C-alpha cells in the first residue's frame, strides 16, 4: 500500500466560494516544498461529465490530454501546478452510477441488493484512491463539489467519513471552506453560518481539521478564537481567505496564513523550504506592466466570466510574459453588424474569436474577422473562430458566396467546414467529439513555427467539424495558408493569413495548455503582435 495522504476540501454556507482555487493554492504550496501533489474534483451532478452542459449552466468545459471533458476547476489545477490532469481527476455522480450499474448488469453483485451504502460509496472511495494508489503522489487533494447539506452530496460526504476511518486520521485531513458574511447594518462579520455548516458536517460524522474563511474584511483575533472554539478546531487552523485582486495571489495569502504548515503538521509530514521564485516572478510581471493593450473577445457567452475561463487566464499568462496589462473587451457576437463594426473594432489592439457551437451569432463573428483581416488588426481564431475565418475568406476573397459550415447550414452549396468522416456515424452526444491531444506538424516560415519554435506540437481538441479538404486548392493561396496539419489524417489544424501582422486560426484549443510557468506560445505571440500594433500607431 502506498503512503499517500489524502486531503478533502468541502464547502459550506454558499456555492462559488472558490474551493478549486483554495485546493490549487494549497497544492502549489505543497508542490513548492517538493511534495508530489495532484488534485481531483468530485461533482455531485448526474451528468456523466460536463461535456453536455451549456456554458450558462456550468461555465467552460475543460479538456485534458486524454480527452476527458471536465470541470473548469481542473483548468485551475493545471494552471497553478503545471502538471497535467486526466480522466481520473474528475468524477461525477453520473459516472459513479454508470459504472456501478454496468457492474450490476455484468452480475458482479449477483444475489445482492445494490445500495448507496456500500456500493455507491465503495465506487466513490475507489475513485478517491485511484490516483494515490499509483504511488506517483505524496498527497492527493480531493475537492467535493457543491455545499455540505445538499442531498446530492451525501454519498460523497459519507465516503469521506469512511475514508478517514479506513486510512486513519494521520493520513487524512478535512478542510472546510466557508463564508464569513459582513452585515453592513450591524457593521460586523458574522460567524453563525460557519458554525452551522461545520455542525452539518459533524452530523455526517466528519469534524473539519481546518476552516478556511472567505471574507471581505480582516478577521480579528476575537473572531478567529470564537470560530476555533465553536467549530472544534485549533486557533491556527482558522485560516482567513480575504478577497484579493487576482486568484494568483491566493497561494501567497495562504502561505502567510500558514495553511500548508497546519496541513503538514496534521499529516505528520516534515515541512521543507518553499521555492516560489517562478510564481513570484510571474506575479511581479503581472502586477507591474510596462504597457497595456485592449483585446476584443467575440463570443456568445461573453457576459459570463466562466464561459471563457481558460482563454482569459491564458491572456493573463501571456500578458505577464509580455509585461503588458490586458484589458479584455467582451463583444457579443449577436450585437456586431456591418454598421457598428468600425466603431467597435477600431479601439482594439487585437481580436479573439472564441470557440462555440451552433448558428447563433456566427454572422457577427464573420463580420469581425473580415474587418480584422482587412484592417490588419491582430487576430486569433480558436476552434469555431478558425472555422469562421475560413468561411470569411471563402466568401469574401475566393468568391464562394455561399460558403458555410454544415453545422450551421447542413445543405449549403460550399461546405468549406464539414463534419469529419469519423463523426458521420456518431449518434450519441456525450464524449464523442474529436477530443484530447492530437499531434500537429508545422510548416516552415510561418507565424505558427515562429511562435512554437518547434516543428511538431501537440494540442487539445474538442469539436466535430473540420476544414473540408475538398476545398483546399480553391481556398488556400500564397496569402491564405495552412501552417499546421495533423500528420495521420491530413486534417487542417492551423491557418494563417500572410499579408497581415498576425492572423492565425487554430482548430484546437491552445487555452487548455497555458499555465503560469509555461504561458502558451500562440497567446504570447498574439499579445506581442497586439502590443506592436498599439505601439506603432
Ligand atoms: N462547433 C464547432 C465544431 O464542433 C466548433 C467547436 C468549438 O469551437 N469547440 O466543430
Amino acid at each position: 500500500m502506498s503512503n499517500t495522504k489524502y486531503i478533502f476540501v468541502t464547502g459550506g454556507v454558499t456555492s462559488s466560494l472558490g474551493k478549486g482555487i483554495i485546493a490549487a493554492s494549497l497544492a502549489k504550496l505543497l508542490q513548492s516544498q517538493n511534495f508530489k501533489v495532484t488534485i481531483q474534483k468530485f461533482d455531485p451532478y448526474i451528468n456523466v461529465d460536463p461535456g453536455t452542459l451549456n456554458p450558462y449552466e456550468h461555465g467552460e468545459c475543460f479538456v485534458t490530454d486524454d480527452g476527458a471533458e471536465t470541470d473548469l476547476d481542473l483548468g485551475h489545477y493545471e494552471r497553478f501546478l503545471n502538471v497535467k490532469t486526466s480522466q481520473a481527476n474528475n468524477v461525477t455522480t453520473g459516472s459513479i452510477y454508470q459504472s456501478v450499474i454496468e457492474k450490476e448488469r455484468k452480475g458482479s453483485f449477483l444475489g445482492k441488493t445494490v445500495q448507496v451504502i456500500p456500493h455507491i460509496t465503495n465506487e466513490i472511495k475507489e475513485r478517491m484512491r485511484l490516483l494515490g494508489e499509483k504511488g506517483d503522489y505524496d498527497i492527493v487533494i480531493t475537492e467535493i463539489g457543491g455545499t455540505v447539506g445538499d442531498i446530492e452530496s451525501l454519498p460523497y460526504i459519507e465516503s469521506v467519513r469512511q475514508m478517514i476511518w479506513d486510512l486513519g486520521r494521520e493520513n487524512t485531513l478535512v478542510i472546510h471552506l466557508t463564508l464569513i458574511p459582513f452585515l453592513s447594518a450591524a457593521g460586523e462579520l458574522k460567524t453563525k453560518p460557519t458554525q452551522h455548516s461545520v455542525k452539518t458536517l459533524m452530523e455526517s460524522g466528519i469534524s473539519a481539521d481546518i476552516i478556511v474563511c472567505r471574507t471581505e474584511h480582516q478577521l480579528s483575533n476575537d473572531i478567529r478564537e470564537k470560530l476555533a472554539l465553536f467549530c472544534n478546531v485549533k486557533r491556527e487552523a482558522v485560516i482567513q481567505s480575504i478577497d484579493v485582486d487576482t486568484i494568483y495571489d491566493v497561494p501567497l495569502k495562504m502561505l502567510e496564513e500558514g495553511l500548508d504548515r497546519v496541513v503538514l503538521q496534521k499529516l505528520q509530514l516534515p515541512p521543507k523550504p518553499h521555492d516560489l521564485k517562478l510564481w513570484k516572478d510571474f506575479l511581479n510581471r503581472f502586477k507591474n506592466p510596462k504597457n497595456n493593450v485592449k483585446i476584443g473577445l467575440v463570443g456568445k457567452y461573453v457576459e459570463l466570466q466562466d464561459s471563457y475561463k481558460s482563454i482569459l487566464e491564458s491572456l493573463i499568462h501571456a500578458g505577464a510574459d509580455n509585461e503588458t496589462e490586458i484589458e479584455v473587451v467582451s463583444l457579443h457576437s449577436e450585437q456586431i453588424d456591418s454598421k457598428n463594426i468600425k466603431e467597435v473594432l477600431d479601439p482594439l489592439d487585437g481580436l479573439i474569436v472564441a470557440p462555440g457551437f451552433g448558428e447563433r451569432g456566427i454572422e457577427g463573428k464573420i463580420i469581425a474577422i473580415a474587418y480584422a483581416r482587412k484592417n490588419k488588426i491582430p487576430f486569433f481564431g480558436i476552434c469555431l473562430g478558425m472555422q469562421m475565418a475560413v468561411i470569411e475568406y471563402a466568401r469574401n476573397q475566393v468568391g464562394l458566396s455561399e460558403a458555410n459550415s454544415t453545422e450551421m447550414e447542413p445543405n449549403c452549396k460550399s461546405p468549406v467546414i464539414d463534419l469529419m468522416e469519423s463523426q458521420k456515424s456518431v449518434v450519441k452526444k456525450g464524449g464523442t467529439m474529436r477530443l484530447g491531444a492530437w499531434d500537429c506538424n508545422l510548416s516552415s516560415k510561418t507565424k505558427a513555427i515562429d511562435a512554437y519554435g518547434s516543428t511538431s506540437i501537440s494540442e487539445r481538441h474538442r469539436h466535430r467539424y473540420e476544414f473540408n479538404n475538398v476545398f483546399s486548392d480553391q481556398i488556400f493561396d500564397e496569402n491564405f495558408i495552412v501552417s499546421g496539419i495533423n500528420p495521420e489524417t491530413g486534417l487542417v489544424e492551423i491557418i494563417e493569413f500572410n499579408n497581415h501582422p498576425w492572423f492565425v486560426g487554430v482548430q484546437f484549443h491552445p487555452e487548455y495548455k497555458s499555465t503560469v510557468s509555461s504561458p502558451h506560445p500562440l497567446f504570447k505571440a498574439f499579445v506581442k503582435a497586439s502590443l506592436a500594433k498599439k505601439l506603432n500607431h
Side-chain angles (χ1 to χ4, degrees):
M1 207 183 115
S2 70
N3 293 326
T4 311
K5 309 268 183 178
Y6 292 84
I7 299 175
F8 299 95
V9 181
T10 58
V13 182
T14 108
S15 59
S16 306
L17 288 179
K19 285 193 293 285
I21 302 293
I22 293 295
S25 299
L26 171 61
K28 185 77 221 169
L29 293 178
L30 297 170
Q31 184 196 48
S32 77
Q33 296 173 66
N34 245 335
F35 289 105
K36 290 195 273 342
V37 199
T38 189
I39 320 181
Q40 50 188 10
K41 169 113 194 244
F42 282 55
D43 277 310
Y45 50 72
I46 317 286
N47 303 63
V48 172
D49 62 42
T52 50
L53 285 171
N54 189 313
Y56 284 114
E57 295 266 333
H58 202 64
E60 167 190 281
C61 171
F62 185 79
V63 179
T64 57
D65 262 359
D66 65 350
E69 296 177 277
T70 72
D71 186 79
L72 58 79
D73 272 343
L74 269 74
H76 292 308
Y77 307 161
E78 290 204 6
R79 288 187 283 271
F80 274 53
L81 300 181
N82 200 32
V83 171
K84 286 179 181 156
T85 55
S86 68
Q87 189 88 55
N89 293 71
N90 194 193
V91 173
T92 69
T93 296
S95 68
I96 296 282
Y97 271 81
Q98 190 179 45
S99 137
V100 171
I101 290 169
E102 266 166 26
K103 287 181 189 165
E104 187 274 336
R105 294 287 82 185
K106 271 194 222 142
S108 309
F109 313 113
L110 269 190
K112 294 269 176 239
T113 310
V114 182
Q115 295 182 294
V116 173
I117 304 173
H119 301 97
I120 295 297
T121 49
N122 280 350
E123 183 75 27
I124 294 175
K125 287 197 293 176
E126 222 171 87
R127 308 279 189 104
M128 284 176 169
R129 292 167 83 149
L130 193 65
L131 289 169
E133 270 163 1
K134 286 191 186 145
D136 296 342
Y137 301 105
D138 303 314
I139 301 167
V140 174
I141 302 180
T142 303
E143 178 193 345
I144 310 289
T147 307
V148 165
D150 295 347
I151 291 175
E152 52 186 21
S153 308
L154 285 175
Y156 294 97
I157 300 294
E158 166 60 13
S159 304
V160 173
R161 187 194 68 76
Q162 293 180 21
M163 286 277 283
I164 298 170
W165 190 249
D166 294 347
L167 299 169
R169 290 219 65 114
E170 70 286 5
N171 294 316
T172 51
L173 177 137
V174 176
I175 298 176
H176 191 55
L177 177 64
T178 74
L179 174 73
I180 309 289
F182 180 77
L183 285 195
S184 38
E188 265 181 71
L189 285 165
K190 291 295 187 187
T191 64
K192 194 71 84 188
T194 296
Q195 295 178 37
H196 281 299
S197 103
V198 168
K199 212 179 258 172
T200 307
L201 201 54
M202 276 179 177
E203 280 165 12
S204 305
I206 298 175
S207 41
D209 300 288
I210 295 174
I211 316 281
V212 175
C213 306
R214 278 296 304 272
T215 173
E216 289 173 9
H217 300 271
Q218 294 282 346
L219 299 184
S220 66
N221 240 335
D222 283 356
I223 290 209
R224 289 176 190 246
E225 265 159 25
K226 185 171 170 187
L227 279 164
L229 182 68
F230 282 95
C231 300
N232 217 18
V233 297
K234 291 187 179 150
R235 160 70 182 74
E236 68 267 25
V238 175
I239 304 287
Q240 162 184 292
S241 171
I242 199 156
D243 287 2
V244 280
D245 298 337
T246 158
I247 53 170
Y248 299 109
D249 270 335
V250 180
L252 300 181
K253 285 282 170 204
M254 292 302 105
L255 178 66
E256 270 171 34
E257 287 281 314
L259 174 62
D260 58 316
R261 196 165 28 88
V262 184
V263 163
L264 291 174
Q265 211 170 37
K266 166 74 188 11
L267 293 176
Q268 301 177 6
L269 291 170
K272 301 175 208 167
H274 295 94
D275 179 2
L276 286 163
K277 188 179 173 318
L278 269 177
W279 193 268
K280 288 182 182 165
D281 284 351
F282 157 77
L283 270 177
N284 197 26
R285 281 194 308 277
F286 174 52
K287 290 186 174 178
N288 301 294
K290 300 203 169 95
N291 293 294
N292 59 35
V293 290
K294 271 196 183 126
I295 305 284
L297 173 63
V298 185
K300 62 177 176 183
Y301 307 111
V302 282
E303 64 278 27
L304 299 165
Q305 282 281 315
D306 278 357
S307 306
Y308 301 114
K309 196 81 204 159
S310 295
I311 292 180
L312 298 175
E313 298 305 321
S314 302
L315 283 171
I316 288 177
H317 307 153
D321 195 81
N322 280 283
E323 294 179 284
T324 298
E325 182 184 358
I326 297 182
E327 183 192 332
V328 177
V329 182
S330 298
L331 301 172
H332 202 296
S333 46
E334 284 177 301
Q335 284 157 15
I336 295 176
D337 55 39
S338 44
K339 286 194 207 88
N340 64 15
I341 188 69
K342 186 174 163 50
E343 182 193 333
V344 174
L345 257 59
D346 276 355
L348 301 177
D349 306 306
L351 182 76
I352 294 182
V353 175
F357 293 83
E359 198 186 1
R360 195 160 64 84
I362 64 150
E363 294 306 323
K365 289 184 174 175
I366 293 172
I367 291 170
I369 295 168
Y371 194 86
R373 185 169 64 79
K374 290 177 193 152
N375 294 282
K376 304 209 183 316
I377 300 171
F379 164 77
F380 194 9
I382 302 178
C383 207
L384 184 68
M386 171 268 196
Q387 298 177 351
M388 293 303 117
V390 170
I391 294 171
E392 187 279 313
Y393 196 79
R395 284 187 191 172
N396 299 335
Q397 207 62 31
V398 180
L400 295 172
S401 58
E402 290 175 60
N404 211 337
S405 162
T406 51
E407 179 181 6
M408 321 306 165
E409 204 188 330
N411 299 317
C412 72
K413 239 189 186 161
S414 308
V416 295
I417 305 293
D418 197 8
L419 202 57
M420 276 177 281
E421 220 27 65
S422 56
Q423 285 286 332
K424 291 190 176 152
S425 53
V426 170
V427 257
K428 286 192 182 160
K429 289 278 184 255
T432 55
M433 284 189 244
R434 181 184 178 200
L435 288 167
W438 288 69
D439 291 337
C440 171
N441 288 351
L442 306 181
S443 319
S444 53
K445 297 200 189 103
T446 57
K447 300 265 181 346
I449 212 161
D450 283 353
Y452 282 100
S454 154
T455 50
S456 113
I457 56 158
S458 163
E459 291 283 1
R460 298 181 190 171
H461 290 248
R462 182 174 186 253
H463 54 102
R464 294 185 200 280
Y465 294 81
E466 298 283 346
F467 175 74
N468 182 353
N469 273 327
V470 167
F471 287 90
S472 271
D473 291 345
Q474 237 177 313
I475 290 186
F476 295 112
D477 54 30
E478 69 283 5
N479 279 329
F480 199 58
I481 59 159
V482 177
S483 56
I485 285 198
N486 174 258
E488 288 102 54
T489 58
L491 292 171
V492 171
E493 309 286 41
I494 314 180
I495 55 106
E496 298 183 12
F497 182 60
N498 276 335
N499 200 1
H500 193 283
W502 208 88
F503 187 104
V504 176
V506 292
Q507 184 59 83
F508 47 81
H509 289 264
E511 70 274 22
Y512 295 142
K513 284 186 75 173
S514 186
T515 69
V516 165
S517 54
S518 181
H520 195 282
L522 288 177
F523 277 92
K524 286 200 298 194
F526 167 66
V527 169
K528 194 171 169 198
S530 306
L531 180 60
K533 173 186 180 285
K534 178 178 170 163
L535 298 179
N536 290 338
H537 256 238

